[in-house]
Amino acid sequence: MRGLSFLLTLTSLISPLCSLVVARTCTLSPLGHGRDDTEQVLRAIDECGSGGRITLNEGNFNITKKMTWDLRNSQVDLFGKLNFPPDIQYWLNNSSTYRVVFIQSQASWFVVTGSDFVVDAHGQGGIEGNGQPWWEYFQSHTREDGDGRPLSLTVFNATRGTIRDFTINAPPFWCNAVANSVDVTYDGMKCNATNTNASFFGQNIVPNTDGIDTYRSDRVSLLNFDITSGDDCLAIKGNSTNVLARNITCRGGNGVAFGSLGQYVQFNDIVENVVLEDMQMIRLNASIQPNMVSGVYFKTWTGTVNGVPPTGGGGFVKNVTSRRVSLDRVDRPVHVYQTNGGSSTDTPSSLQFSDLAFEDWTGTADTTELVDIECSPAVPCPDISFSNFDVTTPENAPPELICKDVLSVSGLSGEIHWSYSSEV
Ligand SMILES: *[C@@H]1O[C@H](CO)[C@@H](O)[C@H](O)[C@H]1NC(C)=O
Ligand SMILES: *[C@@H]1O[C@H](CO)[C@@H](O)[C@H](O)[C@H]1NC(C)=O
Ligand SMILES: *[C@@H]1O[C@H](CO)[C@@H](O)[C@H](O)[C@H]1NC(C)=O
Ligand SMILES: *[C@@H]1O[C@H](CO)[C@@H](O)[C@H](O)[C@H]1NC(C)=O
Ligand SMILES: *[C@@H]1O[C@H](CO)[C@@H](O)[C@H](O)[C@H]1NC(C)=O
Ligand SMILES: *[C@@H]1O[C@H](CO)[C@@H](O)[C@H](O)[C@H]1NC(C)=O
Ligand SMILES: *[C@@H]1O[C@H](CO)[C@@H](O)[C@H](O)[C@H]1NC(C)=O
Ligand SMILES: *[C@@H]1O[C@H](CO)[C@@H](O)[C@H](O)[C@H]1NC(C)=O
Ligand SMILES: *[C@@H]1O[C@H](CO)[C@@H](O)[C@H](O)[C@H]1NC(C)=O
Ligand SMILES: *[C@@H]1O[C@H](CO)[C@@H](O)[C@H](O)[C@H]1NC(C)=O
């Protein structure tokens, strides 16, 4: 006993001393008066980003250049907004952004990397993406993957990192991506991509404003999200494993995506052990955002090696559960297809979906097509299960339930339209 209490006393004496010696603190406020804040923010990260604490006070930090925060054993308290001015031609120049997210060579203007860090925006800070002029610009310019539209917050090559109570307003492109990372938690993320120019009411001018894309990452938690988007609320891309998403509100857009997968012939995309729970899909006023497409959907490219970079990748998706999902006038609650970007003469995909569970779904669809599962004839889907799937069709019309190249499905009530390709 005496030994233990002595030890406790010793450590409680030592640890405050250590933190006095080691922990550095940096506190800064926006410079204002049209000045550029990029340098002072980067200097603070440099001075206090290793074993220290950084406070960015309220106000708009004018961030005019690409920026990486390399954080080691440190915390950033972001009360202010990182404001990325909409200098579209500047940001579209390749040298103005990073290309760390390999898939589709997406551009990033702000990258957080490192280990054992917390970025806490305390429900008031985050990123101002100034997306409105971007969305309007791309009404008359072609959008392509990798065209340089910057994603707002990229967590890359990170280990044990937390992003907390963070708001991203008006992202020009994807709101978030986490890539090549392990043990990353997002707890409290609000993204809002909403067109406010009446000339475009009734149209979706905010495609590609995904809430978050996960790629090449293991053990990722996505908690307490509120995403207003014209595209995927969450997109689980290749090599995302052990992902937990909980309490996710998706306002408008495409719903939660698994994919696209199999986009690169040289890679297998592996997605395994994913739980999505307590999700709600909310249809918005059609003037503001016309789309509310799916609850959860799964998509792959075909097996044909096509285009540049060549498509036709394999892999698998298994053990995915989506539970307690509530829908508000969704077009097609559950959708699986393996013909993204393909034609009818293509080789079927070799990427197999299996062990997909849909539990405790409620709410409304605005078409009768509740479930449309169309697997690849090369690798038909086993173990698809539904339980308490209680989604209402308009005027309670009989639901359409489509199972193509599905090996086994359980728990669906209603008449299932089965079909198999000749290969099965
Ligand atoms: C941000 O800084 C740039 C470069 O100094 C300046 O031209 C621009 O006006 C500033 N923007 C804001 C909103 O202060
Ligand atoms: C892109 O940025 C680089 C570096 O600032 C510059 O040298 C080049 O002229 C820019 N290219 C265009 C097309 O503006
Ligand atoms: C910009 O970089 C992307 C990705 O590296 C590349 O595909 C594209 O050709 C580059 N564009 C220019 C104009 O250099
Ligand atoms: C990833 O992080 C590790 C250490 O944390 C570093 O050594 C490595 O260079 C980083 N890789 C890239 C591509 O940034
Ligand atoms: C998103 O932004 C729009 C336009 O500013 C606003 O009307 C709407 O309330 C916001 N949505 C959320 C969920 O905050
Ligand atoms: C809205 O978009 C129209 C069409 O591009 C443009 O002419 C107008 O200036 C925009 N309105 C505002 C307030 O930016
Ligand atoms: C769910 O997330 C929202 C933010 O989107 C938050 O306000 C709410 O408190 C969360 N609910 C629970 C039960 O944690
Ligand atoms: C996913 O991981 C597997 C090995 O586990 C690897 O062969 C494959 O190339 C990876 N795919 C991607 C997209 O990185
Ligand atoms: C399926 O995934 C869940 C959640 O990650 C995990 O707890 C469970 O062990 C996995 N089941 C199998 C058979 O791997
Ligand atoms: C939808 O939004 C438009 C544009 O703000 C507004 O005029 C209209 O009243 C809204 N409709 C409903 C049903 O709220």
Side-chain angles (χ1 to χ4, degrees):
M1 272 315 267
R2 288 189 54 185
L4 180 61
S5 76
F6 171 73
L7 251 176
L8 287 174
T9 315
L10 196 66
T11 40
S12 59
L13 274 176
I14 289 172
S15 56
L17 279 177
C18 289
S19 58
L20 268 182
V21 175
V22 176
R24 299 155 162 276
T25 58
C26 292
T27 301
L28 55 162
S29 294
L31 296 171
H33 309 286
R35 279 178 290 176
D36 190 341
D37 290 293
T38 322
E39 292 313 318
Q40 67 152 348
V41 171
L42 284 173
R43 207 176 319 119
I45 299 294
D46 198 38
E47 283 171 18
C48 299
S50 210
R53 190 146 180 172
I54 296 141
T55 302
L56 301 186
N57 289 330
E58 269 178 67
N60 278 310
F61 289 86
N62 181 18
I63 307 298
T64 65
K65 288 187 271 302
K66 65 183 174 187
M67 177 167 79
T68 294
W69 291 2
D70 187 355
L71 302 172
R72 314 266 157 185
N73 299 296
S74 58
Q75 171 153 344
V76 179
D77 294 293
L78 176 62
F79 294 99
K81 299 274 185 198
L82 305 172
N83 189 312
F84 291 83
D87 188 346
I88 298 172
Q89 294 315 322
Y90 170 75
W91 292 115
L92 287 180
N93 184 329
N94 264 1
S95 57
S96 305
T97 54
Y98 305 101
R99 299 279 173 145
V100 293
V101 177
F102 172 83
I103 191 165
Q104 299 156 355
S105 187
Q106 305 301 11
S108 302
W109 60 21
F110 176 34
V111 173
V112 175
T113 188
S115 55
D116 303 288
F117 61 81
V118 175
V119 176
D120 191 342
H122 298 275
Q124 62 178 100
I127 291 171
E128 173 53 60
N130 292 297
Q132 186 71 38
W134 285 90
W135 305 326
E136 294 183 14
Y137 176 85
F138 278 95
Q139 292 313 293
S140 53
H141 295 83
T142 311
R143 282 184 218 96
E144 280 174 66
D145 284 342
D147 59 15
R149 282 172 295 154
L151 72 94
S152 293
L153 173 55
T154 304
V155 172
F156 171 71
N157 194 26
T159 307
R160 295 178 302 278
T162 298
I163 307 290
R164 186 172 292 140
D165 295 333
F166 202 100
T167 301
I168 299 178
N169 188 51
F173 182 70
W174 297 354
C175 195
N176 288 279
V178 53
N180 302 64
S181 296
V182 186
D183 288 316
V184 173
T185 297
Y186 293 79
D187 185 356
M189 173 59 64
K190 289 186 165 56
C191 292
N192 190 344
T194 299
N195 164 51
T196 54
N197 183 332
S199 307
F200 301 104
F201 280 177
Q203 302 172 45
N204 177 20
I205 69 160
V206 296
N208 304 124
T209 54
D210 300 15
I212 188 166
D213 282 55
T214 67
Y215 187 60
R216 292 180 170 168
S217 295
D218 187 32
R219 300 200 296 267
V220 176
S221 297
L222 312 173
L223 312 175
N224 307 316
F225 276 44
D226 189 325
I227 307 294
T228 302
S229 155
D231 214 300
D232 297 333
C233 181
L234 316 175
I236 312 297
K237 286 186 156 56
N239 289 20
S240 298
T241 46
N242 303 302
V243 176
L244 169 66
R246 177 185 291 149
N247 184 25
I248 310 290
T249 299
C250 306
R251 303 177 196 270
N254 289 347
V256 172
F258 285 76
S260 64
L261 297 165
Q263 188 169 358
Y264 297 95
V265 68
Q266 72 272 36
F267 298 121
N268 281 339
D269 281 337
I270 293 167
V271 173
E272 207 173 4
N273 306 339
V274 179
V275 173
L276 314 168
E277 57 191 18
D278 302 310
M279 298 201 297
Q280 40 175 342
M281 309 289 155
I282 301 177
R283 181 174 285 280
L284 298 175
N285 177 334
S287 298
I288 306 301
Q289 173 49 249
N291 297 344
M292 186 66 257
V293 180
S294 280
V296 178
Y297 76 108
F298 301 78
K299 65 173 166 184
T300 75
W301 296 75
T302 67
T304 293
V305 180
N306 230 336
V308 183
T311 62
F316 61 84
V317 174
K318 84 157 81 136
N319 189 19
V320 174
T321 300
S322 50
R323 63 166 78 96
R324 297 190 299 273
V325 179
S326 92
L327 306 178
D328 169 23
R329 292 163 290 160
V330 167
D331 293 340
R332 200 195 258 131
V334 173
H335 191 199
V336 177
Y337 62 106
Q338 302 208 241
T339 53
N340 190 45
S343 76
S344 56
T345 55
D346 278 3
T347 313
S349 170
S350 65
L351 195 153
Q352 186 176 45
F353 293 108
S354 65
D355 195 2
L356 311 181
F358 305 87
E359 304 168 356
D360 301 310
W361 284 49
T362 56
T364 57
D366 70 356
T367 71
T368 56
E369 214 170 302
L370 296 190
V371 173
D372 179 4
I373 303 180
E374 305 194 24
C375 298
S376 169
V379 280
C381 306
D383 303 321
I384 311 294
S385 69
F386 289 81
S387 67
N388 298 320
F389 188 80
D390 188 14
V391 178
T392 310
T393 55
E395 291 154 4
N396 278 310
E400 284 178 74
L401 306 170
I402 297 164
C403 288
K404 184 172 176 295
D405 296 315
V406 174
L407 287 179
S408 60
V409 66
S410 63
L412 271 183
S413 59
E415 190 189 331
I416 301 176
H417 302 276
W418 296 95
S419 65
Y420 299 96
S421 306
S422 50
E423 285 92 337
V424 181

